[in-house]
Amino acid sequence: SGWGFILTTIVLLLAQAFESAVHYIEHNIPKAQLPVIRGVVSELATLGFVAVLVSGLKLGGEESLLTYYSTLLFGEPELLFEEFESIDKGLFSVTISFFAAFSVLLTVVNLRFRTWDQTFRSAVVLLRLAEDEARRKGVYNPDDPQCRRVEDDYMRRFIVADPAVVWGFGLHELFSSEEVRLSEFYTFRKRFLQRAVAEGVQLDDDFRFYEYLEENAAEDLKEIVSIEPLQLISALVPLAAITITNEIFAEAVLGEGGTETGLLVTYILSQGAILIWAVWNFLKMSYVKTMLKPRVVRKEEGGTVTYDIIPPSYVEHEHRQTPAIINTLSILEYPWRQPAKNVHEELFGYVGAQGPMFYLQSMKLLLFESIVSFSFGSQLLGKDFGELTPFINLAILPSMVAVALAPTTFLMYNWATGVEQLRNNDLVTKVLARQREERFRTTLRTLITIINRFLEVSDVSEALPRRSYDQVEREWEVLMAKECPNTILELRDIFQSHDLDGSGELEEEELLQLAKDLGFDLDGEIMRRFKEHLGSRRCFDFKEFATTMMKSNGEKIQSLCPEQVGDQVFNFFDTDGAGTISEDEMLNKLKPLGFDAQGIEQLFLDVTGKHKNVVTRSEFQTYLEKRVLGYPVLNLAS
């Protein structure tokens, strides 16, 4: 019929929308989370297959296999059919709840990482500007309060907003302000870097700690979203036990009509167990994380107030204060006891060395148990339980609370298993390698942006209006609001690498050298126009430099073929004009930008695909076209 075609079209459109949504998500989330998303889709497919299988068994109505075996085994033709009908509805509810619960979990976790990412990078930009200001004044000192004001601001907020009276109940994990969460991230990061360096692991000041946490979380999220059939059975066993026990004993104990009443009462009791389980996971992770938090101390010397961190509480035994509720419920861990290998693992209680795996499985089983239990409870909503009917809505609340607590519990678990003595050095190495390669690509794109700006400046037909200091400030605010902090940091590193006298400003000779390094010879007239645009000063600071260079519209660079662009950038590194780039040449250019010899060796491998001591022009051109120009070039895509 016509309606049949319409309904089929609607179903197909919904399927297309789902596929499009998955495709969009896969191309707009961090690569570390891709396996997690694919895992969720895989589990949805598994649940969908089981639902199709159950629906298939019902085909045929009175002549179906279910009817035949129901009559043969139980003497009631409709018994198995009705049971499978109930299973079919339950699986649909489980599938929808599964998708909703994991969508919430992944969304909250990824939003937290994105916030840390953007805020930290912006803070680094502000810190670098403070350093430049101190250099211009000739008073630069890494410990100078002026240079530490951004860092101290984060420290101050952390020490003021972390009262010890709250943490025992974990309430601050749910209700802390965004400022406190960011301050917490900052202090954890500083402690992480200090500890790594003390143990011989060299990490740069700009190490992407949030990416390390994201990678660590991705490993665990992949495990959480994977539901094997046997685990599915384990989640269904308690509900099956409730149903069977109720059918056997309810009427004998409660009299006629007691089956449905007993089912509701037993379900409510099971929900109590889920609530205790969820609260236990939450409190335990809150306790472990609190013990791992770096402590912030306030110092005052000569009228100057600064803040610093000292080792967390778990390092000193006398500061390891365990709340009474944690001590009481820890007995639940006893059957899985295992000795701890270090002080960090002692925080997990009886489970010790297997604490991380124990609580990961605990969160996983609880989440899926809550999903199944919620789906089971939602089918009770339409039934009449007499005087107990008002309690049905309340009965599913514990499962909803468990799902709601899951993101925060997981984030605390990520802290508890990713720092201090459980730091994953393999992930640190992985993040460092990716950071270096991504930073190299960003450096190349930034150089292309500068090349384009020099092309525009060299064209005398291009207008270069004179700017006032107030106009530069306004343009800087716009740039900070719209541009990726990584871009600004790379531009600042290029600026600083040509600030040969360390004054925090580029003089005319230093700007001419930058232009020469990129293949430009700025004659007197061009330089005069350039200086007028910058405010007619002989020296200009980073704000003036950045707002000038990032003002490019990309038209000039788009008129060049990729080979011309590649030649300009290649010549920047090929300082001896030999037609190849050696490791020493690359290091000389990139060392002022924060790269080291190990990073250069890795970059050569990324560019050439093999271990080599030089990069040829053709290899560099291929890399530039595939890995740099193939991406949206900074400010050149429009």
Side-chain angles (χ1 to χ4, degrees), residues 530-547:
F530 212 136
K531 287 196 298 181
E532 283 188 359
H533 181 60
L534 292 168
S536 296
R537 297 197 303 120
R538 181 176 177 80
C539 303
F540 53 97
D541 60 26
F542 176 65
K543 287 184 180 180
E544 293 169 323
F545 177 79
T547 52

Side-chain angles (χ1 to χ4, degrees), residues 2 43 63 81 99 122 143 201 218 341 384 497 533 561 601:
E43 298 308 324
E63 298 179 0
F81 191 89
F99 181 75
S122 298
D143 296 323
V201 180
K341 292 180 294 205
D384 182 13
S497 69
H533 181 60
C561 66
E601 183 179 342

Side-chain angles (χ1 to χ4, degrees), residues 111-124:
L111 281 176
R112 177 66 52 220
F113 289 133
R114 295 283 71 74
T115 302
W116 287 339
D117 173 9
Q118 293 299 321
T119 304
F120 172 71
R121 295 189 196 190
S122 298
V124 172

Side-chain angles (χ1 to χ4, degrees), residues 325-339:
I325 188 171
I326 299 291
N327 282 329
T328 302
L329 293 177
S330 288
I331 194 66
L332 299 173
E333 304 169 340
Y334 192 77
W336 295 274
R337 64 190 180 279
Q338 184 172 329

Side-chain angles (χ1 to χ4, degrees), residues 277-295:
W277 190 357
V279 171
W280 164 247
N281 281 346
F282 179 84
L283 290 179
K284 184 71 174 188
M285 291 304 100
S286 175
Y287 163 71
V288 176
K289 177 189 169 186
T290 299
M291 289 292 99
L292 297 173
K293 279 183 181 180
R295 289 173 291 170

Side-chain angles (χ1 to χ4, degrees), residues 245-526:
T245 303
N246 183 70
E247 290 178 353
I248 295 175
F249 298 107
E251 291 201 8
V253 176
L254 300 176
E256 185 177 355
T259 301
E260 292 187 348
T261 301
L263 179 64
L264 179 60
V265 171
T266 310
Y267 177 74
I268 292 174
L269 293 176
S270 71
Q271 289 293 284
I274 285 179
L275 182 60
I276 293 173
W277 190 357
V279 171
W280 164 247
N281 281 346
F282 179 84
L283 290 179
K284 184 71 174 188
M285 291 304 100
S286 175
Y287 163 71
V288 176
K289 177 189 169 186
T290 299
M291 289 292 99
L292 297 173
K293 279 183 181 180
R295 289 173 291 170
V296 179
V297 293
R298 183 178 185 271
K299 298 179 180 179
E300 185 170 355
E301 185 175 347
T304 300
V305 177
T306 59
Y307 298 85
D308 209 346
I309 62 171
I310 58 176
S313 300
Y314 87 99
V315 175
E316 302 171 10
H317 184 77
E318 60 270 20
H319 288 121
R320 270 184 264 160
Q321 302 172 359
T322 309
I325 188 171
I326 299 291
N327 282 329
T328 302
L329 293 177
S330 288
I331 194 66
L332 299 173
E333 304 169 340
Y334 192 77
W336 295 274
R337 64 190 180 279
Q338 184 172 329
K341 292 180 294 205
N342 53 51
V343 180
H344 189 150
E345 291 177 350
E346 289 178 4
L347 298 176
F348 290 98
Y350 287 114
V351 289
Q354 69 170 356
M357 181 55 67
F358 176 86
Y359 279 100
L360 180 63
Q361 294 299 322
S362 177
M363 289 187 295
K364 174 180 178 176
L365 291 176
L366 170 64
L367 186 56
F368 197 71
E369 188 72 51
S370 301
I371 291 170
V372 174
S373 187
F374 174 81
S375 302
F376 181 83
S378 63
Q379 296 186 50
L380 301 178
L381 296 178
K383 296 184 178 181
D384 182 13
F385 292 94
E387 295 180 355
L388 295 176
T389 300
F391 293 96
I392 299 176
N393 293 331
L394 296 176
I396 62 175
L397 281 180
S399 292
M400 297 174 67
V401 169
V403 172
L405 288 177
T408 304
T409 304
F410 178 79
L411 286 168
M412 291 190 294
Y413 172 85
N414 196 36
W415 286 116
T417 60
V419 299
E420 295 295 319
Q421 294 175 327
L422 294 184
R423 182 185 68 235
N424 189 327
N425 287 328
D426 290 338
L427 286 185
V428 170
T429 301
K430 180 180 179 180
V431 170
L432 272 175
R434 185 171 63 232
Q435 178 177 343
R436 285 167 177 157
E437 211 245 335
E438 289 181 359
R439 186 175 180 189
F440 181 57
R441 293 202 304 265
T442 301
T443 299
L444 295 179
R445 290 197 289 270
T446 306
L447 288 173
I448 292 171
T449 300
I450 296 174
I451 289 171
N452 184 77
R453 191 56 176 154
F454 280 137
L455 286 170
E456 293 172 342
V457 171
S458 300
D459 186 351
V460 295
S461 64
E462 292 283 340
L464 283 178
R466 184 170 180 172
R467 299 183 302 168
S468 65
Y469 183 78
D470 289 340
Q471 186 176 356
V472 170
E473 284 293 323
R474 289 194 297 270
E475 291 178 1
W476 171 255
E477 291 177 3
V478 173
L479 184 65
M480 284 289 290
K482 74 173 185 177
E483 197 60 74
C484 172
N486 271 2
T487 304
I488 299 175
L489 286 173
E490 290 304 322
L491 194 63
R492 190 259 182 190
D493 285 339
I494 293 172
F495 173 91
Q496 188 177 356
S497 69
H498 286 77
D499 178 18
L500 302 180
D501 59 3
S503 64
E505 296 178 318
L506 283 189
E507 298 181 3
E508 181 176 333
E509 293 78 9
E510 292 168 333
L511 178 62
L512 287 170
Q513 184 60 50
L514 172 60
K516 184 178 180 181
D517 288 345
L518 291 172
F520 293 92
D521 185 13
L522 302 185
D523 60 28
E525 175 60 22
I526 296 175

